Amino acid sequence: MKKQHFFLVLLLALFAGISSVNAQCVGNGFTPAAGVPYTYDVTVAGLGYTGAGDYDWYVTQNVNILDVPSIIPETNIFFTVDEATPGYSDYHDAAGATSNQINLTWTPAAVSSLTPFYLVLRYSEDNSTSSPTCAAENIRVWQIDPINTFLLAIVGAETNGTAFATAEQCAAPVTGATITPNADPALATVEYTYGENAIFYRVTASGILGEWRPSIQLPALNGALGQTYIAVEWNQDITGVSPNWIPFVGAAGTNAGGTYASADTDLAEVLDAVAGTPILIRVRIDNANFETLADQPILVGIDGYLPTGFTESDIWGPGVWPGTPDPCDQADPFAKTATYTILARPTINPGATMPTFIQKLP
């Protein structure tokens, strides 16, 4: 049998189907951004080899890359495979069409994974110089560490979802005014109640394609006078017309403030990684006995978490931030904020010669 001469060269070239969505956090095939298609390409060389053999592409997270049960199946939460475009290889399919390039798009779930991915190519071809003909195989692997390019921005909004530069509205109307009479006018009391203020915020998510879970930070209200959050909700329909408002769990009925997240199964979706996809947040406040005699700024913080595990949040991105962090670093929790101000109502005082008003309660 003729001695086999085998030399196989695998070279990787990377092409992004669209440009990086965040110039300051540039992804590539080794550190891909979620939602960006990347083409992984190899060339084959060696005496007796033409490159017309079988290409077996697959991804695993097992350091034993030959462990077949650990191969991630084609249908999974971490990436999608483009097998429809001519020239791209099927994924781990010995009976399918294979070629020297495969196109993968990584998902937000891959960004959240704490374990690296390994893209493996096993190549085999008959050596034309051997007699009799024999097949030879070689294998190469690359480590893939998806990066977070997920960005969030929040501004006050109009009821129809458009950005609201001044983000302010007047205090709600008076809804009740009931006197408890007394023969002695000094002992009579009156209780005023005030209506609801509904304020809106527009949150735009970008840098990924796929799902994320919104989370909100609310300031404390004047609980002593009964001011509470009636409802705190978001809607993928930015116009606010859709009745499908999704609650931030536990926010309704509170007044102490805090952080509240959408349920694990209630996720928003980014459809445009570059321009971003907005959601509309509605905060409904029952003013009860709170008179709003001074402007009341409602400073809301937004955060968002990527699946799976909801441990990976948005990055700082461009801008001026405390401590001048790297724009690619994960942002501090609820670092992105916006203020919507409820303006003070008029203060009424008795004239100089008038007695005091009936005592206001509470």
Side-chain angles (χ1 to χ4, degrees):
M1 183 174 182
K2 182 179 178 179
K3 182 178 180 182
Q4 179 177 333
H5 298 278
F6 179 75
F7 176 59
L8 180 61
V9 178
L10 301 177
L11 301 175
L12 179 65
L14 300 170
F15 305 95
I18 60 176
S19 60
S20 174
V21 293
N22 293 300
Q24 78 283 353
C25 302
V26 179
N28 57 44
F30 303 111
T31 54
V36 181
Y38 295 94
T39 299
Y40 300 84
D41 182 82
V42 299
T43 61
V44 175
L47 183 62
Y49 301 100
T50 65
D54 295 325
Y55 296 82
D56 182 13
W57 297 91
Y58 61 85
V59 177
T60 182
Q61 291 183 291
N62 191 337
V63 294
N64 178 7
I65 61 175
L66 295 180
D67 183 49
V68 173
S70 297
I71 294 175
I72 297 173
E74 181 176 351
T75 301
N76 65 86
I77 64 172
F78 299 119
F79 58 85
T80 59
V81 185
D82 181 359
E83 295 184 350
T85 302
Y88 290 153
S89 180
D90 285 355
Y91 178 86
H92 192 50
D93 185 359
T98 62
S99 76
N100 69 325
Q101 57 182 352
I102 191 168
N103 187 277
L104 303 179
T105 301
W106 301 86
T107 71
V111 174
S112 298
S113 175
L114 300 179
T115 304
F117 297 90
Y118 302 106
L119 175 60
V120 180
L121 173 64
R122 296 184 69 171
Y123 179 79
S124 63
E125 183 184 350
D126 290 342
N127 188 325
S128 62
T129 66
S130 66
S131 180
T133 300
C134 63
E137 178 190 47
N138 206 350
I139 185 170
R140 287 293 186 271
V141 60
W142 301 274
Q143 180 167 316
I144 309 295
D145 295 294
I147 62 171
N148 186 3
T149 57
F150 177 41
L151 279 174
L152 287 175
I154 180 172
V155 293
E158 304 275 8
T159 57
N160 63 2
T162 59
F164 189 5
T166 53
E168 60 188 22
Q169 64 179 250
C170 289
V174 178
T175 57
T178 303
I179 294 174
T180 301
N182 194 289
D184 181 354
L187 299 179
T189 60
V190 60
E191 181 178 359
Y192 300 110
T193 55
Y194 307 93
E196 172 187 334
N197 280 99
I199 59 179
F200 295 83
Y201 300 84
R202 179 188 177 105
V203 175
T204 302
S206 61
I208 63 165
L209 287 176
E211 296 177 327
W212 63 285
R213 184 177 68 157
S215 185
I216 196 170
Q217 184 175 63
L218 300 172
L221 299 177
N222 193 312
L225 294 176
Q227 193 182 37
T228 58
Y229 292 106
I230 301 171
V232 184
E233 308 157 305
W234 64 273
N235 202 323
Q236 188 82 59
D237 176 6
I238 194 65
T239 68
V241 174
S242 170
N244 299 320
W245 290 97
I246 299 171
F248 289 94
V249 179
T254 64
N255 54 45
T259 60
Y260 306 92
S262 183
D264 289 359
T265 53
D266 291 329
L267 305 179
E269 186 173 12
V270 180
L271 302 175
D272 186 329
V274 178
T277 302
I279 64 171
L280 185 64
I281 292 177
R282 180 175 67 182
V283 179
R284 297 172 54 200
I285 298 173
D286 180 5
N287 290 289
N289 300 122
F290 181 62
E291 193 174 359
T292 320
L293 291 179
D295 290 353
Q296 184 180 26
I298 307 298
L299 176 67
V300 163
I302 189 70
D303 216 327
Y305 300 94
L306 301 178
T308 14
F310 301 112
T311 58
E312 193 79 25
S313 183
D314 60 310
I315 62 173
W316 287 105
V320 179
W321 307 108
T324 60
D326 188 312
C328 298
D329 287 346
Q330 184 168 311
D332 290 346
F334 303 98
K336 313 294 177 63
T337 63
T339 298
Y340 197 122
T341 302
I342 301 174
L343 300 174
R345 67 182 73 250
T347 298
I348 303 175
N349 295 311
T353 62
M354 298 295 294
T356 59
F357 295 125
I358 293 177
Q359 182 182 357
K360 175 183 174 294
L361 293 180

